[in-house]
Amino acid sequence: MGIVLITGATAGLGQACAATFAAKGYDVIITGRRKDRLDALQTQLTQEYGANVLPLHFDVRDEAAVKAVLGNIPEEWKKIDVLINNAGLAAGLSTIDEGDTSDWDAMIDTNVKGLLYVSHTVIPWMRSRTTGHIINIGSTAAKHVYAKGNVYCATKAAVDAISQGMRIDLLSYRIKVTAIHPGAAETEFSLIRFKGDEAKAKEVYKGFIPLSPQDVADVVFYCTSLPPHVCINDLVLTPLQQANAYYTDKN
Ligand code: NDP
Ligand code: 8X3
């Protein structure tokens, strides 16, 4: 089928994407900071789907590490067909005057700069083959800002804008760029946002049926399964009870 690279494959949406693409016959490059999870996922994907798996252990915020680890993969793995820029986080939920600046750094460095470092490494390989598909995971938070979401929403609006820019710049190389913007999906996202507070994290998903990681992975895969001349540019998916980042009908 081809080769897919998924950043942030140790949990949530990225992990579901890894399993989905492996099940469809892709060779899979999985990345993240938690090496134990990468190793476990490699074993699972190999045993369940017979997939070839390349686990890469690095922090997307560290440009030198991105270049050293991802930049030096074996030549046969550089023929990446699909890049899923998924690694990301929300850190904290505070008004702008009360925000923690280290949270801001983490979100901007991961969600924006990390996505750029990884893309900057992979795009030349796609360009040389005049083919490829970049999927950037944005959020409904890219489309509407919600109270206390300030910097997180800004990073996802940046992902939206970068996706538009990539699409223009890469048109002549026939590289597809798709931004996918999920609404609330139950993953480790809220646990990370609330720094391990499980009660607060669980509260986020009460009163409605959130997206599952598999729901999102199925949509991501669909976008990659269209004919070569068709590109979904921008796609928003939400739970039925969520209209946008701000309005959720909880009961
Ligand atoms: P999870 O917390 O479950 O997973 C996040 C993944 O990102 C993990 O694999 C984590 O791996 C990786 N990651 C985070 N920081 C870094 C880093 N510095 N370097 C490398 N990898 C990193 O969250 P989700 O699966 O929910 O989130 C995935 C993406 O989807 C994010 O971009 C998020 O903003 C977006 N999103 C999530 C929504 C939701 O409701 N869950 C809705 C809309 C968008 P590790 O810790 O091992 O490094
Ligand atoms: C994650 C969804 O609504 O918590 O991007 O911002 S939300």
Side-chain angles (χ1 to χ4, degrees):
M1 282 294 296
I3 298 177
V4 60
L5 162 58
I6 303 156
T7 67
T10 57
L13 309 187
Q15 191 173 50
C17 284
T20 300
F21 279 77
K24 299 287 187 183
Y26 272 82
D27 294 337
V28 187
I29 305 174
I30 51 175
T31 86
R33 291 166 300 177
R34 286 170 286 185
K35 190 174 179 315
D36 54 336
R37 290 199 185 194
L38 288 174
D39 292 343
L41 185 59
Q42 177 182 26
T43 303
Q44 183 207 331
L45 300 182
T46 306
Q47 285 177 355
E48 279 184 31
Y49 309 114
N52 293 314
V53 182
L54 179 65
L56 299 177
H57 172 227
F58 61 87
D59 186 326
V60 295
R61 294 173 295 183
D62 182 345
E63 184 182 5
V66 173
K67 297 288 173 189
V69 179
L70 178 58
N72 284 309
I73 58 176
E75 285 304 314
E76 64 270 23
W77 280 101
K78 290 183 180 171
K79 293 178 183 155
I80 293 167
D81 298 284
V82 181
L83 163 62
I84 305 175
N85 278 314
N86 164 78
L89 80 164
L93 187 70
S94 303
T95 57
I96 199 80
D97 51 310
E98 290 182 345
D100 179 331
T101 57
S102 65
D103 284 346
W104 297 353
D105 289 341
M107 290 186 280
I108 293 167
D109 290 351
T110 308
N111 301 357
V112 183
K113 292 167 71 180
L115 179 149
L116 288 169
Y117 297 151
V118 170
S119 302
H120 193 253
T121 306
V122 171
I123 286 169
W125 303 333
M126 291 184 168
R127 203 178 54 201
S128 69
R129 298 168 60 227
T130 48
T131 186
H133 194 161
I134 299 172
I135 308 260
N136 293 326
I137 303 297
S139 169
T140 45
K143 306 291 187 181
H144 294 96
V145 176
Y146 52 85
K148 302 184 180 178
N150 43 63
V151 175
Y152 177 68
C153 297
T155 64
K156 290 301 180 174
V159 171
D160 198 354
I162 289 166
S163 302
Q164 293 177 47
M166 279 183 174
R167 193 172 308 112
I168 296 164
D169 295 345
L170 302 178
L171 264 189
S172 61
Y173 303 113
R174 304 295 183 258
I175 296 171
K176 296 186 188 186
V177 179
T178 301
I180 296 183
H181 303 283
E186 192 161 9
T187 63
E188 294 175 12
F189 177 86
S190 293
L191 197 61
I192 302 283
R193 164 170 260 174
F194 297 120
K195 320 217 161 141
D197 185 329
E198 291 188 14
K200 262 190 178 177
K202 274 203 166 12
E203 195 58 37
V204 173
Y205 307 107
K206 275 203 183 133
F208 72 108
I209 303 172
L211 297 171
S212 69
Q214 191 61 52
D215 293 330
V216 179
D218 287 342
V219 169
V220 171
F221 186 80
Y222 172 73
C223 291
T224 66
S225 66
L226 296 169
H229 67 288
V230 181
C231 181
I232 294 180
N233 292 345
D234 200 63
L235 187 153
V236 178
L237 73 152
T238 64
L240 176 59
Q241 287 167 258
Q242 185 181 28
N244 57 39
Y246 202 79
Y247 292 103
T248 303
D249 182 29
K250 295 192 175 189
N251 53 46

